[in-house]
Amino acid sequence: MPSLRRLLCFLRPYRRAALVAVLLLVGVAAADLAIPRLVQRIIDVGVANQDLRAIATTSLLMMALSLTSATMAIINTVLAVRAAQSYGADLRDALFRHVQSLSFADLDRLETGKLLIRLTSDITQVQMVVLLSLRLLVRGPLMIVGSVIFMVLTSPRLAAWMLLILPLTASIITLFALKVPALFRRVQQRLDRLNQVLQENLAGVRVVKAFVRGGHESARFDTANVDLMQQSIYTMRILSLLIPTMSLVLNLGTVLVVWLGGLDVQVGDMTVGRIVAFVNYLLSTMFPLMMMGMMVNQIFAAEASSERIIEVFDTEPAVQERPDARPWDGRVQEHAPSPASIRLENGPLVANTSNLAGRVAFEDVSFRYDGDDGDPNEIGARASGPLRGDLDDLGARASGPLQEVLSGINLVAEPGQQVAILGATGSGKSTLVHLIPRFYDVTGGRVTIDDVDVRDLELDSLRHQVSVALQEAVLFTGTVRDNIRYGRPEAGDEEVVAAAQAAQAHEFITDLPDGYDTLVGQRGVNLSGGQKQRISIARALLVNPRVLILDDSTSAVDFETENRIQAALEQLLRKASRSTTIFVVAQRISTVLSADKIIVLDKGVIAAEGTHEELLAGSPIYQEIYASQLGDGNGHHRGEVSHGQ
């Protein structure tokens, strides 16, 4: 069981309790092995000689041993349960912390449903085996070895016959041991599939109902459910043969002992008490074997679960912090800028004369998703997870694992600038901004902040200074206030209100039943999409970051509210004691009109760059987008949105 053995390291903090539990089992086994000898004495000495004193004293000794055995067994159970439960809690905590360290790409590959199974039922399976081992599996071998020794001491002739049965029993268990692991792996695979279907259905229940696809989803669930049932039945059917087979061997052994022992009693070579003691020792040998046979399913189910848990532990985060990573507190790093950070390839000369922090540069950046991340069949599963902020890039992913989502990106955002990123679905907009806080790492080129490669910065310090509001606004169980100050738990109420006002969320929050203390339902079910997005924006603003990323985070709000948010952001930044560089990812051109710089992405490359007026004058792609959204259909803009053209 190599996987189970690897996970035993989590038992080390509780090794004293585990050791005491095992030592108590030694005492329990010793007491249980002594009792058949006392039964033999009662029959051969007390009953045969009608010696009531011998019967009484031996019976009292048996009672004392039984009470001692029961007491040790109870203490063993308490210690075993404490050690096993603590072991499970530590293992679950370590696995959860490791999942938190994984990058977006790792989470895409492992999938939410499978991670839930590993964090719950898989760990429970392993924990149960640890508990049973401390209570039963250690006792079993002790009883088997001790019983064999006492059988030889009681009757070497009968023991020779019984020792022929033990290899047969061991062979039966070995046969099952070779077949069962593969069966349990198939059960776990089908359980994964069932959980995936269930998770997708619950996450997308509104879509299911909207398109009247309840029957289709029920059929999918039934298929997965029946597959799991059939595989489980087949596995249990194989395992169900083990106990009857072991019982048959035990009964045959008992009959053989009584028959041969009876013949010896007739000729005076054996006493009745010795036969009874021998049968008890035979039972003490066979019952642990049967018990261990019954635990075969638990053991191998736990081994299969251990393999899946270790798969997660062995997943090295695609985004890792370098050993010599430096902290970034939002101030300009004191070092000379590299030539690449001054002159961008295929770009103009850019002199970094600002003494403000927050200058972001993309230097010949390219990126592609690895391996199966490009599998279009997995897009649905990926999109359902709370960490998937790349909904507009799924089309780019589905195009294949070897095709670059971004290529040759050269871009500079000076401190305090607002840079808007516009483009069609699948053009790589979200992927581009997600490279800044290292949700993903570039596959070519580099991203710098204040002329420092983001890969040279400590992840925590980087992400404390780069705040993101995603299109899919994820809210957590708790109050509205708690959700807004999620990134800054120590923030005061005035700061929370100020952030909410800037995000145009204060008015609707105060209209809620309990205002800022209103409890948010599961996934924000009691809030509209626009309300959730505004709370998400307030949460990002409250961090007071050097770099603010609004990843299509106003897609669910109306045009008027969006304009108010933009105006409030500009006013807030003017009042701030430090500049904030803003990246705005947008589908709507109205969102980007006032940006200092607009980037038009097309199939992962920068198709145009400039202000609204410059692009409207010189970029056919931008002109087409503008005409389709704000024009009159003939290339002329509508009067209510005039920008001097």
Side-chain angles (χ1 to χ4, degrees):
M1 304 292 172
S3 298
L4 271 173
R5 284 198 299 270
R6 280 188 61 184
L7 295 180
L8 285 180
C9 62
F10 290 94
L11 195 59
R12 287 174 187 164
Y14 316 102
R15 57 184 178 272
R16 290 185 180 177
L19 180 60
V20 173
V22 171
L23 292 176
L24 287 170
L25 285 180
V26 175
V28 172
D32 291 346
L33 289 171
I35 287 176
R37 279 292 190 183
L38 297 177
V39 173
Q40 176 187 338
R41 175 178 171 78
I42 289 175
I43 295 174
D44 289 345
V45 177
V47 176
N49 300 325
Q50 297 183 356
D51 186 347
L52 294 178
R53 182 181 177 84
I55 294 174
T57 55
T58 307
S59 297
L60 288 174
L61 182 57
M62 286 180 61
M63 290 178 61
L65 281 175
S66 298
L67 287 173
T68 302
S69 175
T71 302
M72 290 190 293
I74 291 172
I75 299 174
N76 163 267
T77 300
V78 171
L79 293 176
V81 168
R82 183 179 300 169
Q85 292 295 331
S86 301
Y87 164 87
D90 288 354
L91 177 57
R92 192 177 295 111
D93 181 69
L95 188 62
F96 181 80
R97 289 177 182 274
H98 186 72
V99 169
Q100 296 298 304
S101 73
L102 299 178
S103 68
F104 276 24
D106 302 318
L107 294 170
D108 289 345
R109 181 178 61 81
L110 291 171
E111 300 178 15
T112 304
K114 292 181 180 179
L115 288 174
L116 287 175
I117 288 289
R118 284 157 174 75
L119 281 162
T120 53
S121 65
D122 282 340
I123 288 180
T124 300
Q125 289 275 16
V126 177
Q127 178 180 296
M128 182 59 65
V129 164
V130 171
L131 175 61
L132 293 175
S133 298
L134 294 176
R135 292 188 60 199
L136 301 173
L137 282 185
V138 174
R139 182 183 176 186
L142 293 174
M143 291 297 295
I144 292 171
V145 173
S147 296
V148 169
I149 292 173
F150 276 102
M151 279 195 296
V152 173
L153 294 175
T154 302
S155 175
R157 178 170 174 269
L158 290 178
W161 284 98
M162 292 305 101
L163 291 177
L164 295 177
I165 297 178
L166 292 180
L168 175 61
T169 306
S171 299
I172 294 172
I173 295 177
T174 302
L175 180 64
F176 279 90
L178 293 174
K179 188 171 182 62
V180 166
L183 297 178
F184 273 102
R185 277 193 289 269
R186 293 173 194 162
V187 170
Q188 293 287 0
Q189 289 169 358
R190 281 155 178 77
L191 180 61
D192 269 349
R193 176 57 183 162
L194 178 71
N195 191 71
Q196 181 183 15
V197 172
L198 181 62
Q199 191 261 344
E200 288 178 3
N201 182 267
L202 294 178
V205 64
R206 290 172 175 78
V207 177
V208 174
K209 290 183 178 297
F211 287 90
V212 197
R213 294 290 284 171
H216 169 73
E217 291 300 320
S218 295
R220 286 181 67 211
F221 184 84
D222 286 345
T223 300
N225 196 25
V226 170
D227 285 346
L228 175 60
M229 177 194 68
Q230 290 176 342
Q231 184 61 45
S232 298
I233 289 175
Y234 177 71
T235 302
M236 291 301 114
R237 187 182 299 160
I238 297 297
L239 287 172
S240 66
L241 298 175
L242 179 60
I243 302 306
T245 304
M246 298 283 289
S247 297
L248 176 62
V249 174
L250 174 61
N251 291 332
L252 289 176
T254 303
V255 170
L256 185 60
V257 168
V258 173
W259 174 260
L260 295 176
L263 294 177
D264 289 341
V265 169
Q266 287 182 339
V267 298
D269 293 339
M270 179 74 75
T271 64
V272 175
R274 289 170 65 190
I275 292 177
V276 173
F278 195 95
V279 170
N280 283 333
Y281 286 126
L282 176 62
L283 295 176
S284 296
T285 303
M286 300 302 293
F287 269 119
L289 284 173
M290 292 180 61
M291 177 182 62
M292 294 171 68
M294 293 174 63
M295 289 179 58
V296 163
N297 58 337
Q298 288 283 351
I299 295 171
F300 287 107
E303 173 66 13
S305 294
S306 297
E307 291 175 357
R308 292 146 52 84
I309 293 170
I310 287 174
E311 179 190 2
V312 180
F313 276 126
D314 286 346
T315 300
E316 292 291 334
V319 175
Q320 294 196 27
E321 188 174 284
R322 291 175 175 173
D324 57 346
R326 69 182 73 173
W328 182 53
D329 58 4
R331 293 177 294 184
V332 177
Q333 305 293 315
E334 296 181 359
H335 74 287
S338 65
S341 65
I342 298 178
R343 179 181 293 277
L344 300 179
E345 186 178 350
N346 301 325
L349 182 68
V350 179
N352 184 12
T353 58
S354 174
N355 60 356
L356 298 174
R359 181 179 187 272
V360 180
F362 293 79
E363 302 175 4
D364 199 24
V365 167
S366 59
F367 177 80
R368 64 172 175 268
Y369 290 99
D370 294 329
D372 60 359
D373 287 338
D375 183 358
N377 296 323
E378 299 294 329
I379 289 177
R382 247 180 249 148
S384 62
L387 295 177
R388 279 46 168 185
D390 301 299
L391 297 180
D392 74 73
D393 292 337
L394 290 177
R397 286 196 212 189
S399 61
L402 298 179
Q403 181 172 331
E404 289 189 334
V405 179
L406 300 171
S407 178
I409 301 296
N410 288 295
L411 167 65
V412 173
E414 297 294 348
Q417 277 192 332
Q418 183 178 132
V419 177
I421 302 172
L422 196 66
T425 298
S427 59
K429 303 187 299 297
S430 289
T431 300
L432 179 66
V433 294
H434 286 181
L435 297 176
I436 300 172
R438 294 190 68 195
F439 292 159
Y440 300 92
D441 268 344
V442 298
T443 52
R446 68 174 191 159
V447 178
T448 66
I449 295 182
D450 299 329
D451 303 320
V452 180
D453 193 322
V454 292
R455 292 170 293 189
D456 293 330
L457 298 174
E458 292 179 355
L459 276 172
D460 285 352
S461 66
L462 170 66
R463 291 172 182 173
H464 274 131
Q465 298 296 334
V466 179
S467 189
V468 184
L470 299 171
Q471 176 184 3
E472 184 182 1
V474 178
L475 301 183
F476 299 92
T477 302
T479 65
V480 172
R481 189 191 317 276
D482 291 338
N483 272 278
I484 293 177
R485 60 185 180 192
Y486 185 77
R488 274 187 65 206
E490 74 283 359
D493 290 344
E494 292 183 359
E495 295 175 288
V496 171
V497 171
Q501 288 173 335
Q504 301 302 303
H506 178 71
E507 183 176 348
F508 84 78
I509 291 175
T510 54
D511 289 338
L512 294 174
D514 297 313
Y516 283 86
D517 293 318
T518 300
L519 289 175
V520 176
Q522 182 182 6
R523 301 183 69 192
V525 68
N526 54 335
L527 299 172
S528 70
Q531 289 173 334
K532 288 190 287 187
Q533 282 193 335
R534 280 178 276 173
I535 290 176
S536 178
I537 293 172
R539 178 171 60 196
L541 291 174
L542 186 62
V543 177
N544 194 20
R546 283 298 189 188
V547 179
L548 175 65
I549 298 173
L550 303 178
D551 187 1
D552 210 3
S553 56
T554 57
S555 59
V557 302
D558 59 83
F559 181 77
E560 182 181 352
T561 302
E562 183 181 39
N563 282 339
R564 291 204 303 268
I565 292 174
Q566 290 288 341
L569 279 176
E570 292 175 5
Q571 183 179 5
L572 184 68
L573 294 178
R574 281 198 302 269
K575 292 181 179 179
S577 59
R578 62 180 187 176
S579 63
T580 298
T581 307
I582 303 177
F583 287 85
V584 179
V585 175
Q587 298 275 1
R588 298 188 304 208
I589 202 168
S590 60
T591 308
V592 307
L593 294 178
S594 61
D596 299 306
K597 183 185 296 185
I598 301 173
I599 306 298
V600 181
L601 280 182
D602 184 33
K603 297 179 181 179
V605 299
I606 296 179
E609 177 180 345
T611 63
H612 165 69
E613 290 76 11
E614 292 170 346
L615 293 176
L616 197 59
S619 172
I621 294 179
Y622 188 82
Q623 292 168 359
E624 182 180 349
I625 297 173
Y626 182 82
S628 65
Q629 294 187 21
L630 298 179
D632 59 6
N634 298 313
H636 304 294
H637 64 275
R638 297 187 183 120
E640 68 270 23
V641 187
S642 176
H643 289 271
Q645 300 298 314

